[in-house]
Amino acid sequence: MATESPEQFDQVDWNDLSRSGRFDLSINSIGMLVTALPLALLGVYDWRFVGDRTATFEFVGLDRTLETVDFLFIFTLLLAFWYLVLPLYQNPRRTRYYWKEFKRNRPAVVSLGWLGIVFVGGIVGPLVMNAPQQELLIAYQPPVFTSVVDTTPATCVGEVINGRCHGTWQHPLGTTNAGRDVFTMIVYGMTISMQIAFITTTIVATVGITFGTLSAYAGGWVDEIMMRFTDIILSFPTFLMFLLILYIYGAGLGMFIVVFSLFAWGGTARYVRSKSLSISEEEFIKSSRISGASTYQVIRGHVVPNVASSIITQLTLLIPGFLLYEAQLAFLGIGDSTVPSWGQLIAAGRSDLSFAPWIVLAPGIVLFLTILAFNFLGDALLDALNPEAEAENA
Amino acid sequence: MGFGRYVTARVLWAGVVSLVITTITFLLLSAAPNPDVQQATTQAALQGGDPAAAAERARELRGLDEPLYVRYFDFIQGVYTLDWGWSSSRSQPVLEAVVGALYYTAQYSIPWTILTVILGPLVGVYSAANMYSWRDHAATGFAFFGYAIPNFFFGIILLLIFGVWLEVIPVVYNTDVAVFSVENVVQLAIPVFVLVTGSIGALMRVSRNESAEFQNSDFMKTAKAKGVSPLRAYAYHVMRPTLVPVSTTLVGQLLALFLGSSLLVEVVFGIPGLGRLTFEALLSQDTNLVLGTTLFFTFVAVVGNLIEDLVFTVLDPRISYDDR
């Protein structure tokens, strides 16, 4: 419903706008269904018919495999496209307004640019770059524009001047102790970070919004029980519980994402509950009720959309925590060692820190910048989406 | 509901929460294969014995053949009577190991907490008082820096600069020095600094934003018109209302750091505190010790949340007990 020219109230064809039933789908939902269905079928196919060691795309001759986490990631990407990017395109006027508000915060624009790089790098990178290979001969190559004593690398790829090995563009950020290219590993780490960011956010948002609105609308003792349950979730020491689960069962990246997101929605649910309570007191809710909207229609059409836009900030600020936890676990050597995350790279370079600091510095700085960018972005989104808070935060 | 009843209800609730978490821990543990039993089985198989019989014996020895509810009540009783079992990797009671490690954790946690609590709101209010000046921007930049840089990464870098290159601080933590000595201050300075930068950022932001609201309030204008000195005006009229919302952020922040990052900082700096105890127990598959340290951290979290709620209601009389 792109409204380029202002519509006149008496010319609106209400039959077009009113939805006849609750199963009357919007273009977004149709698109979501059409794209998610093949993915689900592929998932089932991968799960039931493809052997553990066979690549998913064996049947078309591609040697690429998809893990459970990858399927979830693609699913959340589809969700983000149909329900976040497309609505922004459908409402150009509102998008322009948000952008105008957002643009005023310069660090946030830079942050958005950086996160865009990480996002695109994470999605495109693994498709166009080969996974970093172990090549012991070229271990400890310094980054480009720097040099180390030529005894540090086994053989120097670049030129040796005055007994110092100089870095080359072949390995712009140097190589690790196993001769893996640091830049490639960082690009591969972007995928992991984006997977963590997207999947956890989706789970937290889904559970948090559902739980919060249900609790607000149920009221009475149901509300009481649900909120006390949220209290328990909130005071749960997730990091330690994850250590315990890791100790007992062992855990990969998927388990990490599930455990951390299932214990992170407490704050979101609380916020959604109080927000939906205050929204349900608004005049427009009353008027839609008088017009005969059912509770489901009110929640689906008015409460959830209003709440969703205001929890975006909170979700943005949750992501850095997850990235940090993943890096911490990897650093401790108890993370998922099969995934090439930034934390794994930091952990790998730690023992060589005194003579090959780039192995730790490069992924550490990238991690730092990403966390910083999410924080700036959250701050700016708060101002853009919620003009009332501006007075405090400007 | 009166204050007394509110406190009682809240304390009882904290008890319930701790019980729930303990129960979940128990269920997690009982659903998993016990490493001790597995060890016994492997040993029997290696020595040519009967693995099944050995497993049976090991289970009997540890009381695992009892029905689930009996073990559950035993477990709960053990947890709440502080009978946390024997740590096989350290050859000492779990409680003793935890208390011993706490001694080292406290040495950096106490200065860290005090510094954060004092500096955070002070810098935040100061930055609000000089809003949009270069001081404010510097403070904001510092807050974001400290908030965003991973503690363990920052720790490694500082250790590299000051420990390895400049050789100002010892690279390995020395447990022999006295608590109140210059050496101890020197070796704990960097860990404390790392933790303070990590925890102070959020606090500074919250107190800056909250106090900005009170700067232009009517009571501030009145105070200024009456000729109250700026110091007194800020200390009495801005700081106090600011501290209420700040206090809620504070406990949450400190707890999150205490539970997560202190482990990393201890591993990086080699401090033999609680975090490292947990980590080493995990590595050496010492179930009792893992359980003991996990439960200890859990209780700290529960008690911390309890204190936060109570302090909040005491500080802000406007909060009605029924809403919470």
Side-chain angles (χ1 to χ4, degrees), chain A residues 202-214:
Chain A
T202 312
I203 298 180
V204 168
T206 316
V207 181
I209 293 178
T210 316
F211 212 85
T213 36
L214 274 183

Side-chain angles (χ1 to χ4, degrees), chain B residues 151-202:
Chain B
N151 270 321
F152 70 97
F153 175 67
F154 198 32
I156 300 175
I157 301 302
L158 291 181
L159 200 60
L160 174 72
I161 295 173
F162 292 104
V164 179
W165 290 346
L166 299 180
E167 295 181 5
V168 192
I169 54 160
V171 178
V172 180
Y173 181 83
N174 185 1
T175 49
D176 295 335
V177 299
V179 178
F180 297 102
S181 63
V182 179
E183 288 94 339
N184 204 26
V185 172
V186 167
Q187 68 180 358
L188 286 179
I190 298 287
V192 169
F193 177 70
V194 168
L195 285 167
V196 168
T197 46
S199 57
I200 209 172

Side-chain angles (χ1 to χ4, degrees), chain B residues 1-11 309-310 313 321 324:
Chain B
M1 211 194 286
F3 184 65
R5 274 188 65 193
Y6 171 73
V7 172
T8 323
R10 190 62 191 74
V11 170
D309 273 7
L310 293 185
T313 31
Y321 307 119
R324 308 212 15 105

